Amino acid sequence: MLTDEFGREVTGVRISLTDRCNFDCIYCHNEGLGDTRGPMDPQDDEMSADDVVRFLEVVEEFGVDSVKFTGGEPMLRQDLEEIIERTPDSMEVSLTTNGTFLPGRAEDLVDAGLERVNVSQDALDPEDFAAVTKSGAYEKVLEGVRAAVDAGLDPVKLNMVVFEHTAGYVPEMVDHVAENDGLQLQLIEYMPELTGRPEWNIDIQRVHDWLAEQAAEVEHREMHDRKRYWIEDDDGGRGMVEIVDPVENPTFCANCHRVRVTHEGYLKGCLNRSDDLRPMGEMTKPEIREAYREVVANRVPYYGEYMVKNDDGEWEINDEYVEGYAEV
Ligand code: SAM
């Protein structure tokens, strides 16, 4: 296992398989690349299945034991099943998707080796859903979630980005997972860093406080410093809600154990930064090994190290890193 200078072991990788997406979510950071959405047809710049598998075989040597496939919309890749099938057996395989292509494919993904899925669902109303995702595929997403549960991928995690447009729907979504078996809710704090709309931010602490009042049980998972809220409905149904709150949160960054890969095959040590992209050359195993070692060695916790608070209590880039770049 490789460990960075801040004592963080890298145990997982998050691979973007494509930049393409059939949605155009207004909040999307596109895995830290901003709005780079390309045309829907297959693109030459995407890593091939062979590249992805070679990368996974190399990081397996370094003890990486989990991979999450994302995008863009990873299910636009027709070779997703092949990639999952060829992923080393030692790795847990999960997927983040908008869910529209799960009907008819969920079982094939499970047969290929998929173990967990997160489906983005930001509202429980077709019109609100369309306003946030710029898509009319609401029913298809619900169908996709059902297909995933039926294929044995339960509990399916519903990802909901909490920001100005969706905050009012949190109670409904919480009820929804309490009332329906096989679902969990992951409330994701809106990250304004890469979208340029800080005014959409909401106070995530209020969501924590509200959930703590509603919950029958609150569990604190030390490893990720995350709380889990268990919510009960009137008929004894139980649902789990988790909050992912990385913004201005040094504890979150101190617990980050992931390296990212862009669809073009660049390594990325931090979601919030785009000055740390590292190509892997022709993606031969020696080149991948060298690039991976270097990226892990250069990983820096974003909040608390790369960004620090100044005397006025505002976050600013740590001089140490500004100077580092000035010399390049
Ligand atoms: N298309 C897939 C999907 O819809 O899940 C995968 C890609 S999407 C970029 C991956 C995750 O990033 C989604 O769960 C989405 O909710 C989250 N996300 C995107 N932009 C975000 C932002 N500005 N703040 C917080 N989460 C964001």
Side-chain angles (χ1 to χ4, degrees):
M1 196 91 72
L2 293 186
T3 304
D4 66 28
E5 273 187 37
F6 301 87
R8 303 178 302 171
E9 287 183 334
V10 177
T11 54
V13 288
R14 183 168 175 116
I15 302 183
S16 174
L17 291 175
T18 181
D19 205 22
R20 296 172 285 138
C21 191
N22 54 326
F23 282 13
D24 191 7
C25 301
I26 57 173
Y27 57 74
C28 189
H29 55 40
N30 191 16
E31 298 297 322
L33 295 179
D35 190 4
T36 59
R37 200 163 73 113
M40 293 283 285
D41 296 331
Q43 301 290 298
D44 293 342
D45 59 0
E46 290 173 1
M47 276 184 291
S48 65
D50 286 346
D51 289 339
V52 175
V53 172
R54 213 175 308 112
F55 172 77
L56 290 171
E57 286 170 354
V58 168
V59 296
E60 185 193 31
E61 295 169 11
F62 293 108
V64 166
D65 62 9
S66 69
V67 53
K68 174 158 262 165
F69 294 114
T70 181
E73 175 43 52
M75 290 197 72
L76 284 170
R77 289 279 299 242
Q78 295 311 310
D79 54 2
L80 178 61
E81 287 81 351
E82 179 199 336
I83 292 171
I84 293 176
E85 177 100 54
R86 294 174 57 196
T87 294
D89 291 342
S90 63
M91 290 189 186
E92 183 195 61
V93 188
S94 60
L95 174 73
T96 298
T97 172
N98 63 33
T100 45
F101 303 109
L102 281 169
R105 261 177 98 182
E107 282 189 15
D108 292 343
L109 291 171
V110 170
D111 289 345
L114 184 68
E115 287 160 88
R116 293 194 296 116
V117 70
N118 291 51
V119 180
S120 295
Q121 191 184 329
D122 296 301
L124 269 171
D125 168 86
E127 278 176 29
D128 297 324
F129 184 86
V132 171
T133 61
K134 302 272 181 260
S135 126
Y138 177 70
E139 291 299 335
K140 205 75 190 165
V141 172
L142 295 193
E143 214 185 299
V145 172
R146 275 195 300 274
V149 172
D150 291 346
L153 287 167
D154 58 305
V156 170
K157 269 196 187 176
L158 303 183
N159 278 3
M160 176 185 189
V161 176
V162 187
F163 68 127
E164 200 180 73
H165 301 59
T166 57
Y169 303 109
V170 168
E172 266 180 81
M173 285 295 286
V174 169
D175 288 346
H176 180 62
V177 297
E179 288 162 8
N180 291 281
D181 287 342
L183 302 183
Q184 294 183 343
L185 180 61
Q186 182 159 261
L187 298 172
I188 307 177
E189 181 180 19
Y190 166 67
M191 303 177 69
E193 292 92 337
L194 301 148
T195 57
R197 301 298 295 260
E199 69 275 18
W200 287 350
N201 230 342
I202 53 108
D203 179 2
I204 200 73
Q205 189 54 45
R206 286 184 56 195
V207 184
H208 275 289
D209 295 345
W210 180 82
L211 272 174
E213 275 172 29
Q214 311 297 315
E217 188 190 333
V218 183
E219 201 185 309
H220 190 194
R221 295 203 301 159
E222 298 289 341
M223 195 170 73
H224 304 284
D225 191 46
R226 269 191 208 170
K227 282 192 184 134
R228 285 178 151 183
Y229 301 90
W230 293 91
I231 308 288
E232 280 176 7
D233 72 357
D234 297 339
D235 304 317
R238 224 167 134 82
M240 197 274 277
V241 183
E242 215 172 13
I243 299 186
V244 179
D245 51 359
V247 182
E248 300 179 5
N249 185 349
T251 311
F252 189 95
C253 296
N255 284 286
C256 174
H257 299 283
R258 264 182 184 167
V259 161
R260 292 164 182 270
V261 188
T262 73
H263 64 285
E264 293 172 298
Y266 287 79
L267 288 169
K268 194 175 193 305
C270 173
L271 171 67
N272 279 333
R273 289 175 59 188
S274 43
D275 59 358
D276 66 345
L277 290 170
R278 166 72 162 86
M280 292 190 271
E282 299 298 314
M283 293 198 75
T284 62
K285 284 195 170 179
E287 284 172 302
I288 297 171
R289 266 183 217 112
E290 189 191 336
Y292 181 72
R293 280 184 191 281
E294 192 183 305
V295 164
V296 174
N298 290 329
R299 256 163 55 89
V300 172
Y302 189 74
Y303 288 111
E305 184 61 37
Y306 183 80
M307 298 292 282
V308 284
K309 276 199 173 172
N310 65 19
D311 294 342
D312 299 328
E314 285 156 3
W315 291 96
E316 61 179 29
I317 299 182
N318 187 344
D319 283 345
E320 206 179 303
Y321 300 104
V322 176
E323 281 157 23
Y325 285 108
E327 283 164 19
V328 175

